[in-house]
Amino acid sequence: MAFGTRLTALLDIEHPIIQGGMAWTATAELAAAVSQAGGLGIIGAGHMPTDLLREQIRNAKALTSRPFGVNLMLLTPHIDELVQLVLDEHVPVVTTGAGNPGKYMAALKEQGIKVLPIAPSVALAKRMESIGADAIIGEGMEAGGHIGELTTMVLTPLLVDAVSIPVVAAGGIADGRGLAAAFALGAEGVQVGTRFMCAEECTIHPAVKEQVIKARDRDTVVTGRSTGHPVRVIKNKLARQIAELDRENRPEEIEALGTGKLALAMRHGDVEMGSLMAGQAAAMVCEIQPAAQIITDMVSEAEAVFARLGGLGAR
Ligand code: TUI
């Protein structure tokens, strides 16, 4: 069965699976592997210096001739420079996170770039549609990293009802059952982050992959609510220290303590004092696999779900 949707047509991809644009995690190697396998690979720009992002984009272009994207994290201080870079490099697709990309929409669209803002709410999704977004990624609070308030189960149908452009469901989706469920809710694609952390081609430190694989149902926690930027991470020593500062309502100290900690985990493998950003779906990730295997497994599992449910409907 083919999972062709408006989203796969829009992005010129085979399978409706977008890889999450995880900072310090989603490098050109991972993005290219996902795109080669027929999904949409994304380079996570995060706070990356402009020259490094240019190199990453060029690496991805060398590794795949398929479409790929860049996720722009809008809170980064040099965001204007990163936007200019994706324009100059003619990156086919941009996803945005952690803010409102309104200021950049016209320039990106003019260049022919497909823009998929990540929205944690109906209001932002509607605003984004009205200024020309090509699709909306609705990210529920099951996701890793910086999150909103709503769950994927509620956010997805609300967005599907609120906008006419395609909706991509994100947060808590790590297998074919999640893919099928997202389609049942009206989504035309999914964004998967945490499971791709354990792709063979993902260049994060092996110690972090081990933490994701070991994680059980209640092993993630949301920290940093007092800063206004809550973040879901796998519990460790850093998370406990931040939770304590949250309880004492000391947001400035959380910002200071958090600086540099994502790289400390993902690059250097410090799983106690690094920030282990990952979603609740970490509990569902059991092994390291090639990105292509993750995609084909998800698609064939979803096909099996539809076959089973189609049968139920006929009873
Ligand atoms: O952006 C993400 N996930 C992230 S960003 C990140 S780096 C960071 N670290 C610490 C604090 C803050 C950021 C780590 N993980 N996912 C997409 C996402 N976007 N989640 C939530 C949002 C979001 C929130 C508010 C998008 C738009 C928004 O708009 C507010 C407004 O201006 O309307």
Side-chain angles (χ1 to χ4, degrees):
M1 201 219 300
F3 280 109
T5 63
R6 289 187 298 167
L7 185 87
T8 55
L10 171 77
L11 301 175
D12 190 23
I13 56 177
E14 190 181 345
H15 306 299
I17 298 175
I18 301 179
Q19 165 242 313
M22 305 164 284
W24 288 107
T25 300
T27 58
E29 288 85 353
L30 177 62
V34 169
S35 287
Q36 276 298 99
L40 186 79
I42 303 273
I43 297 167
H47 293 302
M48 212 182 259
T50 308
D51 285 344
L52 184 55
L53 182 58
R54 183 180 299 107
E55 190 183 308
Q56 287 284 310
I57 292 169
R58 292 186 181 172
N59 285 349
K61 285 177 181 168
L63 290 168
T64 183
S65 53
R66 306 266 184 101
F68 67 94
V70 169
N71 174 265
L72 296 173
M73 205 284 282
L74 297 167
L75 290 172
T76 203
H78 63 304
I79 182 66
D80 287 358
E81 234 179 84
L82 297 183
V83 172
Q84 191 56 52
L85 174 67
V86 301
L87 291 169
D88 293 345
E89 290 290 323
H90 296 89
V91 170
V93 181
V94 163
T95 66
T96 64
N100 180 341
K103 179 176 161 194
Y104 307 109
M105 188 68 81
L108 292 165
K109 297 297 308 166
E110 201 164 307
Q111 186 70 266
I113 295 176
K114 307 287 191 305
V115 184
L116 285 72
I118 299 180
S121 68
V122 170
L124 186 67
K126 285 173 113 165
R127 275 208 299 282
M128 295 300 100
E129 177 179 48
S130 73
I131 61 170
D134 293 283
I136 295 291
I137 303 174
E139 195 177 276
M141 53 82 80
E142 298 94 323
H146 176 40
I147 53 170
E149 297 283 339
L150 297 178
T151 60
T152 304
M153 182 72 98
V154 170
L155 180 60
T156 307
L158 288 177
L159 294 179
V160 168
D161 288 346
V163 301
S164 312
I165 52 179
V167 171
V168 177
I173 299 167
D175 65 15
R177 294 169 298 181
L179 172 55
F183 272 57
L185 296 173
E188 294 181 55
V190 295
Q191 177 189 269
V192 175
T194 303
R195 186 158 179 196
F196 282 120
M197 292 175 75
C198 289
E200 252 170 48
E201 297 88 347
C202 180
T203 55
I204 58 171
H205 197 286
V208 177
K209 295 188 182 184
E210 196 182 310
Q211 292 296 308
V212 172
I213 288 167
K214 263 180 48 190
R216 294 165 52 152
D217 55 351
R218 303 202 303 152
D219 285 344
T220 71
V221 64
V222 180
T223 59
R225 289 199 192 276
S226 64
T227 67
H229 295 119
V231 172
R232 182 179 300 282
V233 295
I234 294 175
K235 287 177 189 167
N236 65 1
K237 188 169 175 185
L238 176 70
R240 284 191 291 277
Q241 290 181 2
I242 294 180
E244 181 64 28
L245 292 171
D246 254 336
R247 277 191 292 277
E248 295 169 4
N249 199 21
R250 289 152 72 182
E252 297 84 7
E253 284 163 72
I254 293 177
E255 304 278 11
L257 183 60
T259 303
K261 293 301 197 291
L262 186 59
L264 185 64
M266 303 304 169
R267 297 254 61 87
H268 303 289
D270 186 338
V271 297
E272 273 309 313
M273 281 309 291
S275 177
L276 295 175
M277 290 187 192
Q280 290 184 341
M284 299 162 67
V285 179
C286 305
E287 58 182 327
I288 295 172
Q289 294 173 300
Q293 185 81 52
I294 293 173
I295 290 175
T296 52
D297 280 5
M298 284 187 68
V299 169
S300 57
E301 281 168 21
E303 283 169 352
V305 171
F306 289 135
R308 182 162 56 82
L309 295 184
L312 276 180
R315 243 197 289 216

